[in-house]
Amino acid sequence: MHKQLRSDQAGALEKLRQSVAAGNKRIVMQAPTGFGKTVLAASIVSNARAKGKRVLYTVPAIALVDQTVEMFVSQGITDIGVIQASHHLTDWSKPVQIASIQTLQKRGLPAADFAIIDECHKWFTFVNERWLY
């Protein structure tokens, strides 16, 4: 069932757009538990796909990969590849890639126009070295 963005989520998306338009490249969004951050992320990914963009979505733990895949599929995003050993959706050619930071440490980064880092407060040294400097 496709979830529509609530007004607070739509407002956050608009602020994100304004920040991108202002030239910001490393934007952090935060919201409380229950806000619907993954639904908002799915909307961002859908918008990026509509523009032909490739997206990397990272999660802080392997256990969250399938949960994210399920949410994205429920939101109509089906062109998903998963970077994880022996995962049935592993396909590096897909324009949306979902992976844990730990897996990316071992396997490297896929081609992507931008990355969404879920739970960025749990960053690893790898993220700082590869994406910030």
Side-chain angles (χ1 to χ4, degrees):
M1 177 182 195
H2 186 80
K3 296 181 182 181
Q4 297 296 317
L5 293 182
R6 297 185 316 261
S7 62
D8 55 347
Q9 293 167 319
L13 183 58
E14 181 55 32
K15 288 180 182 178
L16 173 65
R17 286 185 177 126
Q18 291 170 4
S19 186
V20 169
N24 296 312
K25 297 191 183 285
R26 297 180 190 115
I27 303 161
V28 175
M29 297 180 72
Q30 71 176 29
T33 301
F35 180 81
K37 293 180 288 287
T38 309
V39 172
L40 179 57
S43 178
I44 294 166
V45 171
S46 291
N47 291 339
R49 289 299 308 131
K51 296 174 184 172
K53 303 290 185 185
R54 296 181 59 86
V55 181
L56 171 62
Y57 188 90
T58 69
V59 294
I62 290 172
L64 297 174
V65 169
D66 287 332
Q67 177 181 323
T68 303
V69 169
E70 289 173 16
M71 173 56 76
F72 280 15
V73 169
S74 76
Q75 292 298 101
I77 303 166
T78 58
D79 49 359
I80 299 170
V82 171
I83 304 171
Q84 181 181 339
S86 303
H87 197 284
H88 70 281
L89 292 178
T90 297
D91 183 346
W92 286 66
S93 71
K94 296 289 185 176
V96 177
Q97 293 291 321
I98 298 173
S100 71
I101 294 293
Q102 298 90 334
T103 298
L104 293 176
Q105 285 176 309
K106 296 174 185 163
R107 301 199 177 209
L109 297 173
D113 296 300
F114 72 92
I116 298 174
I117 303 169
D118 186 30
E119 304 284 346
C120 69
H121 64 283
K122 296 181 180 180
W123 278 10
F124 293 83
T125 303
F126 170 76
V127 174
N128 289 324
E129 292 172 355
R130 290 297 277 261
W131 290 325
L132 295 183
Y133 304 105

